[in-house]
């Protein structure tokens, strides 16, 4: 799973910018930007902080989005 792509997807659904998400999550925007450059992978502790910022449980993050037909 491309974790940074999932972060973008969830933030876009909530109309939250990456800058705002970093603030809400208590992580730096640099952390997000570095993950984008590294190929989209975030550490689990960072994902947990992002989930807290988004107000979702970790299980929702790892639930595959439904494909619209």
């Amino acid at each position: 799973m491309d974790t940074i792509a999932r972060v973008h997807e969830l933030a876009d659904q909530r109309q939250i910018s990456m800058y705002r998400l970093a603030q809400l999550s208590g992580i730096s925007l640099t952390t997000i930007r570095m993950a984008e450059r590294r190929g989209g992978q975030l550490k689990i502790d960072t994902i947990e902080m992002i989930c807290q910022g988004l107000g979702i449980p970790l299980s929702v993050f790892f639930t595959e989005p439904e494909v619209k037909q």
Side-chain angles (χ1 to χ4, degrees):
M1 170 184 265
D2 182 342
T3 56
I4 198 67
R6 183 69 172 145
V7 168
H8 280 281
E9 178 184 347
L10 292 167
D12 288 347
Q13 288 173 0
R14 290 158 180 80
Q15 298 180 340
I16 298 172
S17 69
M18 289 297 106
Y19 176 78
R20 182 68 181 138
L21 180 58
Q23 289 178 318
L24 293 170
S25 302
I27 62 173
S28 70
L29 183 58
T30 302
T31 299
I32 294 171
R33 298 297 181 221
M34 294 283 288
E36 291 170 340
R37 286 186 219 116
R38 279 196 315 261
Q41 299 310 312
L42 293 165
K43 294 180 181 179
I44 190 68
D45 58 331
T46 304
I47 294 170
E48 288 176 324
M49 293 174 75
I50 288 171
C51 287
Q52 290 173 357
L54 291 170
I56 62 170
L58 189 59
S59 61
V60 169
F61 185 90
F62 289 105
T63 301
E64 292 294 324
E66 294 182 22
V67 176
K68 296 180 183 178
Q69 296 180 348

